[in-house]
Amino acid sequence: MNLVAYLLSVVLLAVSQAFPDRRDPAELIKSQGRIVGGFPVDIKDIPYQVSVVKYGSHTCGGALISSRWVLTAGHCASSSNTPLLGLRVGSTDRNSGGQLLKLKRVVQHPNYNPTIIDYDFALLELQEDVTFNERVGMVSLPEQDEVVEDGAQCRVSGWGSTQNSQESSRYLRAADVPSVNQETCQAAYTYFGEITARMICAGYKQGGKDACQGDSGGPLVSDQKLVGIVSWGFGCARAGYPGVYARVASVRQWVTEVSGI
Ligand code: ARG
């Protein structure tokens, strides 16, 4: 290993220890830096997936819920960001293709609490309706308080950040993960914080498949409904620590109040 690579791995290790959301180098290699343990997908298979762009580059995922509105994570967007944010829709490649769209309005959930990452939702209103085609479409929402059965198969998708100079994160990936019982998830995160009613967890006991850094705001879909928004987790794909998502069914009425959807 040359000196640069060595220093890089020391820095990565230090960073991974300082920030629970960063992965350690072994996981970086295993995960190839994107959605962990997933597979490549074409945007035609997930046409509601969008990239939230800031200063021209991918910063978060999001999901089209109509031709005018995107649901993303609260931590991806505050209303003061409106002029800085845009969207890329209809492209598997996060850097080019599809259409770049401008936003009219960003509405962060009024109860969004960055300390405990509660109510991690924001609605993005487009300046103009987007035209649906085979690469651009919307996803349905669950009813208010609609239950997700424990162990339900869910699909999470996104571009993530690689945190690895050897790997490109240009192309969309997805992973299939089962939803986790709320009490089981709360028990797993006892020392990290509360799993509130606005959160839903998904992942395997043994880890291996998960969302990761840069997937935030992106969709978790089960039974063709948007049940979760990528929010947080301890590391990525670690055994015993499922991914934590913002639970869409908990704010379904708020979505209607803001967007009319
Ligand atoms: N907070 C991260 C982001 O901003 C998402 C982390 C998701 N982590 C996980 N283990 N599922 O991209």
Side-chain angles (χ1 to χ4, degrees), residues 201-250:
C201 305
Y204 288 95
K205 269 203 189 83
Q206 69 273 24
K209 297 184 185 192
D210 198 3
C212 202
Q213 292 302 106
D215 289 318
S216 274
L220 179 77
V221 168
S222 184
D223 195 18
Q224 303 186 71
K225 281 177 261 184
L226 183 66
V227 296
I229 300 292
V230 178
S231 181
W232 62 282
F234 174 60
C236 301
R238 289 177 193 245
Y241 294 98
V244 186
Y245 298 79
R247 188 186 282 270
V248 176
S250 72

Side-chain angles (χ1 to χ4, degrees), residues 156-193:
V156 61
S157 48
W159 287 275
S161 81
T162 67
Q163 303 174 346
N164 177 345
S165 57
Q166 309 293 300
E167 292 284 340
S168 157
S169 67
R170 275 184 72 167
Y171 302 100
L172 186 61
R173 294 180 80 86
D176 291 332
V177 281
S179 69
V180 172
N181 170 272
Q182 197 80 353
E183 284 72 42
T184 304
C185 191
Q186 176 63 82
Y189 279 105
T190 305
Y191 301 110
F192 292 87

Side-chain angles (χ1 to χ4, degrees), residues 105-138:
R105 196 151 61 109
V106 173
V107 186
Q108 204 176 33
H109 196 287
N111 300 130
Y112 168 58
N113 177 342
T115 311
I116 62 164
I117 324 184
D118 203 7
Y119 289 93
D120 195 9
F121 301 98
L123 280 162
L124 313 178
E125 184 177 10
L126 303 180
Q127 265 177 24
E128 284 164 47
D129 282 343
V130 65
T131 309
F132 288 155
N133 57 44
E134 61 174 353
R135 293 162 192 280
V136 182
M138 52 171 260

Side-chain angles (χ1 to χ4, degrees), residues 142-148 197 247-253:
E143 304 285 308
Q144 176 71 35
D145 299 326
E146 188 172 324
V147 171
V148 176
R247 188 186 282 270
V248 176
S250 72
V251 296
R252 181 66 185 85
Q253 274 154 19

